[in-house]
Every structure is written in structure tokens, then in C-alpha cells.
Coordinates of all heavy atoms in Angstrom, one line a residue:
M1 N 91.6 67.0 96.6 CA 91.0 68.0 95.7 C 89.5 67.8 95.8 O 89.0 66.6 95.6 CB 91.5 67.8 94.2 CG 90.7 68.6 93.3 SD 91.4 68.5 91.6 CE 90.9 69.9 90.8
K2 N 88.6 68.8 95.9 CA 87.2 68.7 96.0 C 86.8 68.9 94.5 O 87.0 69.7 93.8 CB 86.6 69.8 96.7 CG 85.2 69.6 96.9 CD 84.7 70.6 98.0 CE 83.3 70.4 98.3 NZ 82.7 71.3 99.4
I3 N 85.8 67.7 94.1 CA 85.4 67.7 92.7 C 83.9 68.3 92.8 O 83.1 67.6 93.4 CB 85.4 66.2 92.2 CG1 86.8 65.8 92.2 CG2 84.9 66.2 90.8 CD1 87.9 66.4 91.4
L4 N 83.7 69.3 92.1 CA 82.3 69.9 92.1 C 81.7 69.7 90.8 O 80.4 69.7 90.7 CB 82.3 71.4 92.4 CG 83.0 71.7 93.8 CD1 83.0 73.1 93.9 CD2 81.9 71.2 94.8
E5 N 82.4 69.4 89.7 CA 81.8 69.1 88.3 C 82.7 68.3 87.5 O 83.9 68.0 88.0 CB 81.5 70.4 87.7 CG 82.6 71.4 87.5 CD 82.1 72.8 87.0 OE1 81.1 73.2 87.6 OE2 82.8 73.4 86.2
S6 N 82.3 67.8 86.5 CA 83.1 66.8 85.7 C 84.4 67.5 85.2 O 85.5 66.7 85.2 CB 82.3 66.3 84.5 OG 81.9 67.3 83.7
S7 N 84.4 68.7 84.9 CA 85.7 69.3 84.6 C 86.7 69.4 85.6 O 88.0 69.2 85.3 CB 85.5 70.7 84.1 OG 85.0 71.6 85.0
D8 N 86.4 69.4 87.0 CA 87.3 69.3 88.0 C 88.0 68.0 88.0 O 89.2 67.8 88.2 CB 86.6 69.4 89.4 CG 86.0 70.9 89.5 OD1 86.5 71.9 89.0 OD2 85.1 70.9 90.4
L9 N 87.2 66.9 87.7 CA 87.9 65.6 87.8 C 88.7 65.5 86.5 O 89.8 64.9 86.6 CB 86.7 64.6 87.7 CG 87.2 63.0 87.7 CD1 87.9 62.6 89.0 CD2 86.0 62.0 87.4
G10 N 88.3 66.0 85.4 CA 89.1 66.0 84.2 C 90.6 66.6 84.4 O 91.6 66.1 83.9
V11 N 90.6 67.7 85.1 CA 91.8 68.5 85.4 C 92.7 67.6 86.3 O 93.8 67.6 86.1 CB 91.5 69.9 86.1 CG1 92.7 70.5 86.7 CG2 90.9 70.8 85.0
A12 N 92.0 66.9 87.3 CA 92.9 66.2 88.3 C 93.5 65.0 87.5 O 94.6 64.6 87.9 CB 92.0 65.6 89.4
I13 N 92.7 64.3 86.6 CA 93.2 63.2 85.8 C 94.3 63.6 84.9 O 95.3 62.9 84.8 CB 92.0 62.4 85.1 CG1 91.2 61.8 86.2 CG2 92.6 61.5 84.1 CD1 89.9 61.1 85.7
R14 N 94.2 64.6 84.1 CA 95.3 65.2 83.3 C 96.5 65.5 84.0 O 97.5 65.0 83.6 CB 94.6 66.4 82.5 CG 95.8 66.9 81.6 CD 95.3 68.2 80.8 NE 94.4 67.8 79.8 CZ 93.2 68.2 79.7 NH1 92.8 69.2 80.6 NH2 92.3 67.9 78.8
S15 N 96.3 66.2 85.2 CA 97.4 66.5 85.9 C 98.2 65.3 86.3 O 99.5 65.3 86.2 CB 97.1 67.4 87.2 OG 98.2 67.7 87.9
R16 N 97.6 64.2 86.9 CA 98.2 63.1 87.4 C 98.8 62.3 86.1 O 100.0 61.8 86.3 CB 97.2 62.3 88.1 CG 97.8 60.9 88.5 CD 98.8 61.0 89.5 NE 99.2 59.6 89.9 CZ 100.3 59.4 90.6 NH1 101.2 60.4 90.8 NH2 100.6 58.2 90.9
R17 N 98.2 62.4 85.1 CA 98.8 61.7 83.8 C 100.0 62.3 83.4 O 101.0 61.5 83.2 CB 97.7 61.6 82.6 CG 98.3 61.0 81.4 CD 97.3 61.0 80.2 NE 96.9 62.3 80.0 CZ 97.5 63.2 79.1 NH1 98.7 62.7 78.7 NH2 97.0 64.3 78.7
K18 N 100.0 63.5 83.4 CA 101.2 64.3 83.0 C 102.3 64.2 84.0 O 103.5 64.1 83.7 CB 101.0 65.7 82.7 CG 100.0 66.0 81.4 CD 99.9 67.3 81.1 CE 99.1 67.4 79.7 NZ 99.4 68.6 79.0
E19 N 102.0 64.1 85.3 CA 102.9 63.9 86.4 C 103.7 62.6 86.2 O 104.9 62.6 86.5 CB 102.1 64.1 87.7 CG 103.0 63.8 89.0 CD 102.1 63.7 90.1 OE1 101.5 64.8 90.5 OE2 102.1 62.7 90.8
L20 N 102.9 61.5 85.7 CA 103.6 60.2 85.5 C 104.2 60.1 84.1 O 104.7 59.1 83.9 CB 102.4 59.2 85.6 CG 101.9 59.0 87.0 CD1 100.5 58.1 86.9 CD2 102.9 58.5 88.0
H21 N 104.2 61.1 83.4 CA 104.7 61.2 82.0 C 104.1 60.3 81.1 O 104.7 59.6 80.1 CB 106.3 61.1 82.0 CG 106.9 62.1 82.9 ND1 107.1 63.3 82.5 CD2 107.4 61.9 84.2 CE1 107.7 64.1 83.6 NE2 107.9 63.2 84.5
Y22 N 102.8 60.0 81.3 CA 102.0 59.1 80.3 C 101.4 59.9 79.3 O 100.8 61.0 79.6 CB 100.9 58.3 81.1 CG 101.5 57.3 82.2 CD1 100.5 56.7 83.0 CD2 102.8 56.9 82.1 CE1 100.9 55.8 84.0 CE2 103.2 55.9 83.3 CZ 102.2 55.4 84.0 OH 102.6 54.5 84.9
T23 N 101.4 59.3 78.2 CA 100.5 60.0 77.0 C 99.3 59.3 77.1 O 99.0 58.2 77.5 CB 101.3 59.8 75.6 OG1 101.2 58.4 75.3 CG2 102.6 60.4 75.5
Q24 N 98.2 59.9 76.4 CA 97.0 59.3 76.3 C 97.0 58.0 75.4 O 96.4 57.1 75.7 CB 96.0 60.2 75.5 CG 95.5 61.4 76.4 CD 94.7 62.4 75.7 OE1 94.5 62.3 74.6 NE2 94.0 63.3 76.6
A25 N 97.9 58.0 74.5 CA 98.2 56.8 73.5 C 98.7 55.8 74.4 O 98.4 54.5 74.2 CB 99.1 57.1 72.4
Y26 N 99.6 56.0 75.4 CA 100.2 54.9 76.2 C 99.1 54.4 77.0 O 99.0 53.0 77.2 CB 101.3 55.5 77.1 CG 101.9 54.5 78.0 CD1 102.8 53.5 77.7 CD2 101.5 54.6 79.3 CE1 103.2 52.5 78.6 CE2 101.9 53.7 80.3 CZ 102.8 52.6 79.9 OH 103.2 51.8 80.8
I27 N 98.4 55.2 77.7 CA 97.2 54.6 78.6 C 96.2 53.8 77.7 O 95.7 52.7 78.1 CB 96.5 55.7 79.2 CG1 97.5 56.5 80.3 CG2 95.3 55.3 80.0 CD1 97.0 57.6 81.0
S28 N 95.9 54.3 76.5 CA 95.0 53.6 75.7 C 95.5 52.2 75.3 O 94.8 51.2 75.4 CB 94.6 54.5 74.4 OG 94.0 53.7 73.4
E29 N 96.8 52.2 75.0 CA 97.4 51.0 74.5 C 97.5 49.9 75.6 O 97.2 48.7 75.6 CB 98.8 51.2 74.0 CG 99.5 49.9 73.5 CD 101.0 50.1 73.0 OE1 101.1 51.2 72.3 OE2 101.8 49.5 73.2
F30 N 97.8 50.5 76.9 CA 97.9 49.7 78.1 C 96.6 49.2 78.7 O 96.4 48.1 79.1 CB 98.5 50.5 79.2 CG 98.9 49.9 80.5 CD1 99.7 48.8 80.6 CD2 98.1 50.3 81.6 CE1 100.0 48.1 81.8 CE2 98.4 49.6 82.8 CZ 99.3 48.6 82.9
T31 N 95.4 49.9 78.4 CA 94.1 49.6 79.0 C 93.2 49.2 78.1 O 92.2 48.6 78.6 CB 93.6 50.7 79.9 OG1 93.4 51.8 78.8 CG2 94.6 51.4 80.9
G32 N 93.3 49.5 76.8 CA 92.1 49.3 75.9 C 91.1 50.4 75.9 O 90.2 50.3 75.1
L33 N 91.3 51.4 76.8 CA 90.4 52.5 76.7 C 90.9 53.3 75.5 O 91.9 53.6 75.2 CB 90.6 53.4 78.0 CG 90.2 52.8 79.3 CD1 90.6 53.6 80.5 CD2 88.8 52.3 79.4
S34 N 89.9 54.0 74.8 CA 90.2 54.7 73.6 C 90.8 56.0 74.0 O 90.5 56.6 75.0 CB 89.0 54.8 72.7 OG 88.1 55.9 73.3
I35 N 91.7 56.4 73.0 CA 92.2 57.8 73.2 C 91.1 58.9 73.3 O 91.1 59.8 74.2 CB 93.2 58.2 72.1 CG1 94.4 57.3 72.2 CG2 93.6 59.7 72.1 CD1 95.3 57.3 71.0
S36 N 90.0 58.7 72.5 CA 89.0 59.6 72.4 C 88.2 59.7 73.9 O 87.8 60.7 74.3 CB 88.0 59.6 71.4 OG 87.4 58.2 71.4
F37 N 88.1 58.6 74.5 CA 87.5 58.5 75.8 C 88.4 59.2 76.8 O 87.9 60.0 77.7 CB 87.3 57.0 76.3 CG 86.8 56.8 77.6 CD1 85.6 57.0 78.0 CD2 87.7 56.6 78.7 CE1 85.1 56.9 79.4 CE2 87.4 56.5 80.1 CZ 86.0 56.7 80.4
I38 N 89.6 58.9 76.8 CA 90.5 59.5 77.8 C 90.4 61.0 77.6 O 90.4 61.8 78.6 CB 91.9 59.0 77.6 CG1 92.0 57.5 77.9 CG2 92.9 59.8 78.5 CD1 93.3 56.7 77.5
S39 N 90.6 61.5 76.3 CA 90.3 63.0 76.0 C 89.0 63.4 76.6 O 89.0 64.6 77.2 CB 90.4 63.1 74.5 OG 90.3 64.5 74.2
D40 N 87.9 62.7 76.3 CA 86.6 63.2 76.9 C 86.6 63.3 78.4 O 86.0 64.3 78.9 CB 85.5 62.2 76.5 CG 85.1 62.2 75.0 OD1 85.5 63.2 74.3 OD2 84.5 61.4 74.5
V41 N 87.2 62.5 79.0 CA 87.3 62.5 80.5 C 88.1 63.7 81.0 O 87.6 64.6 81.8 CB 88.0 61.2 81.1 CG1 88.1 61.3 82.6 CG2 87.1 60.0 80.9
E42 N 89.2 63.8 80.3 CA 90.2 65.0 80.7 C 89.5 66.3 80.3 O 89.8 67.4 81.0 CB 91.6 64.9 80.0 CG 92.3 63.7 80.6 CD 93.7 63.6 80.0 OE1 94.2 64.4 79.0 OE2 94.5 62.7 80.4
N43 N 88.6 66.4 79.4 CA 88.0 67.7 79.1 C 86.6 67.9 79.7 O 85.9 68.8 79.5 CB 87.6 67.6 77.5 CG 89.0 67.9 76.7 OD1 89.8 68.8 77.1 ND2 89.3 67.1 75.7
G44 N 86.4 66.9 80.6 CA 85.1 67.0 81.5 C 83.9 66.9 80.9 O 82.8 67.2 81.3
K45 N 83.8 65.9 79.9 CA 82.6 65.5 79.4 C 81.7 64.8 80.3 O 82.1 63.8 81.0 CB 82.7 64.5 78.2 CG 81.5 64.3 77.4 CD 81.9 63.4 76.2 CE 80.4 62.9 75.5 NZ 80.8 62.1 74.4
P46 N 80.5 65.3 80.6 CA 79.8 64.8 81.7 C 79.0 63.4 81.6 O 78.5 62.9 82.5 CB 78.6 65.9 82.0 CG 78.6 66.6 80.7 CD 79.9 66.5 80.1
T47 N 79.1 62.9 80.3 CA 78.4 61.7 80.1 C 79.3 60.5 79.8 O 78.9 59.5 79.4 CB 77.5 61.8 78.7 OG1 78.3 62.2 77.8 CG2 76.5 63.0 79.0
V48 N 80.4 60.7 80.4 CA 81.4 59.4 80.2 C 81.1 58.2 81.1 O 80.4 58.6 82.2 CB 82.8 59.8 80.5 CG1 83.5 60.7 79.5 CG2 83.1 60.3 81.9
E49 N 81.3 57.1 80.9 CA 80.9 55.9 81.6 C 81.8 55.8 82.8 O 83.0 55.8 82.8 CB 81.3 54.6 80.7 CG 80.6 53.4 81.3 CD 80.8 52.2 80.4 OE1 80.9 52.4 79.1 OE2 81.0 51.0 81.0
L50 N 81.0 55.8 84.0 CA 81.7 55.9 85.3 C 82.6 54.7 85.6 O 83.7 54.9 86.2 CB 80.7 55.9 86.4 CG 81.1 55.9 87.9 CD1 81.9 57.2 88.1 CD2 79.9 55.9 88.8
E51 N 82.3 53.5 85.1 CA 83.1 52.3 85.4 C 84.5 52.5 84.8 O 85.4 52.2 85.3 CB 82.5 51.0 84.8 CG 83.2 49.7 85.2 CD 83.3 49.6 86.7 OE1 82.3 49.9 87.5 OE2 84.2 48.9 87.2
K52 N 84.4 53.0 83.6 CA 85.8 53.3 82.8 C 86.6 54.4 83.4 O 87.7 54.4 83.5 CB 85.5 53.6 81.3 CG 84.9 52.6 80.5 CD 84.7 52.9 79.0 CE 84.2 51.8 78.3 NZ 83.9 52.2 76.9
V53 N 85.9 55.4 84.0 CA 86.6 56.5 84.6 C 87.3 55.8 85.9 O 88.4 56.1 86.2 CB 85.6 57.5 85.1 CG1 86.4 58.6 85.9 CG2 85.0 58.3 83.9
I54 N 86.5 55.0 86.6 CA 87.2 54.4 87.9 C 88.4 53.5 87.4 O 89.4 53.5 88.1 CB 86.2 53.5 88.5 CG1 85.0 54.4 89.2 CG2 86.8 52.6 89.6 CD1 83.9 53.8 89.8
Q55 N 88.3 52.7 86.3 CA 89.4 52.0 85.8 C 90.6 53.0 85.5 O 91.7 52.6 85.8 CB 89.0 51.3 84.5 CG 90.2 50.5 83.9 CD 89.8 49.7 82.6 OE1 88.6 50.0 82.2 NE2 90.7 49.1 82.0
L56 N 90.4 54.0 85.0 CA 91.4 55.1 84.5 C 92.0 55.6 85.9 O 93.2 55.7 86.0 CB 90.8 56.2 83.7 CG 91.8 57.3 83.3 CD1 92.8 56.7 82.4 CD2 90.9 58.4 82.4
L57 N 91.2 56.0 86.9 CA 91.7 56.4 88.1 C 92.7 55.4 88.7 O 93.7 55.7 89.3 CB 90.5 56.8 89.0 CG 89.8 57.9 88.8 CD1 88.4 57.9 89.6 CD2 90.6 59.2 88.8
Q58 N 92.2 54.1 88.7 CA 93.0 53.0 89.3 C 94.5 52.8 88.6 O 95.4 52.8 89.1 CB 92.4 51.7 89.3 CG 91.2 51.6 90.1 CD 90.4 50.4 90.0 OE1 90.5 49.8 89.2 NE2 89.6 50.1 91.1
I59 N 94.5 53.0 87.3 CA 95.7 52.9 86.5 C 96.6 54.0 86.8 O 97.9 53.9 86.8 CB 95.4 52.8 85.0 CG1 94.7 51.5 84.7 CG2 96.5 53.1 84.2 CD1 93.9 51.4 83.5
L60 N 96.0 55.3 87.1 CA 96.8 56.4 87.4 C 97.2 56.5 88.9 O 97.8 57.4 89.4 CB 96.1 57.7 87.1 CG 95.8 57.8 85.5 CD1 95.1 59.0 85.2 CD2 97.2 58.0 84.9
G61 N 96.8 55.5 89.6 CA 97.0 55.4 91.1 C 96.3 56.4 91.9 O 96.9 56.9 92.9
M62 N 95.2 56.5 91.4 CA 94.2 57.7 92.2 C 93.1 56.9 92.8 O 92.7 55.9 92.4 CB 93.8 58.7 91.2 CG 94.7 59.4 90.5 SD 94.1 60.6 89.1 CE 93.6 61.9 90.3
D63 N 92.5 57.4 93.9 CA 91.3 56.9 94.6 C 90.2 57.9 94.5 O 90.4 59.1 94.4 CB 91.6 56.5 96.0 CG 92.7 55.4 96.3 OD1 92.5 54.5 95.6 OD2 93.6 55.7 97.1
L64 N 89.0 57.4 94.5 CA 87.8 58.2 94.5 C 87.0 58.0 95.7 O 86.7 56.8 96.1 CB 86.9 57.8 93.2 CG 85.7 58.6 93.0 CD1 85.9 60.0 92.7 CD2 84.9 57.9 91.8
F65 N 86.8 59.0 96.5 CA 85.9 58.9 97.7 C 84.7 59.7 97.7 O 84.7 60.8 97.0 CB 86.8 59.5 98.8 CG 88.1 58.6 99.2 CD1 89.2 59.0 98.6 CD2 88.1 57.6 100.0 CE1 90.5 58.4 98.9 CE2 89.2 56.9 100.4 CZ 90.3 57.3 99.7
V66 N 83.8 59.3 98.3 CA 82.5 60.0 98.4 C 82.2 60.2 99.9 O 82.1 59.3 100.7 CB 81.3 59.3 97.8 CG1 80.0 60.0 98.0 CG2 81.6 59.0 96.3
E67 N 81.9 61.4 100.2 CA 81.8 61.7 101.6 C 80.5 62.7 101.8 O 80.1 63.3 101.0 CB 82.9 62.6 102.2 CG 84.2 61.9 102.2 CD 85.4 62.8 102.8 OE1 85.2 63.9 102.9 OE2 86.5 62.1 103.0
R68 N 79.9 62.6 103.0 CA 78.7 63.4 103.3 C 79.4 64.9 103.5 O 80.4 65.1 104.0 CB 78.1 63.0 104.6 CG 77.2 61.8 104.4 CD 76.4 61.7 105.8 NE 75.7 60.3 105.7 CZ 75.0 60.0 106.7 NH1 74.9 60.8 107.8 NH2 74.4 58.7 106.6
R69 N 78.4 65.8 103.2 CA 78.9 67.2 103.4 C 78.3 67.6 104.7 O 77.4 67.0 105.3 CB 78.1 68.1 102.3 CG 78.9 68.0 101.1 CD 78.4 69.1 100.1 NE 77.3 68.4 99.2 CZ 76.3 69.0 98.7 NH1 76.0 70.3 99.0 NH2 75.6 68.3 97.8

């Protein structure tokens, strides 16, 4: 999936979380990330902390790649 804006990443993360049948509360309990943070990411908030987003991606079994256009 090509990510052009923060909302695209949020959609991908929400989709994967639901595919795994994880709730935001479950991820929060498991990782220590707050439910509000997870919600912000899934809703495409552009100012979320990148390191925490990467942690969330790893927990969901997702990789983040950067390529030249």
C-alpha cells in the first residue's frame, strides 16, 4: 500500500488490527501505548510520535519501507 498521508497509514493500521481481531484496549494493555494514541494513529493525526508508530507497526506484524520515487 502506498502511503501518501497520515490518514493512509491510519487506515492500514486499523485494517491490520481488525484482521488480527485485536482491540485498541488489548494493544494498549500489551504495549503500554495509550488507547488515545492508537486512536490518533488510526484517525490519521499527523503529529503522532514516529517511534511509537513504528512500535505499533511491529506489534501488528507490519513493516515500514521508504523508497525513492
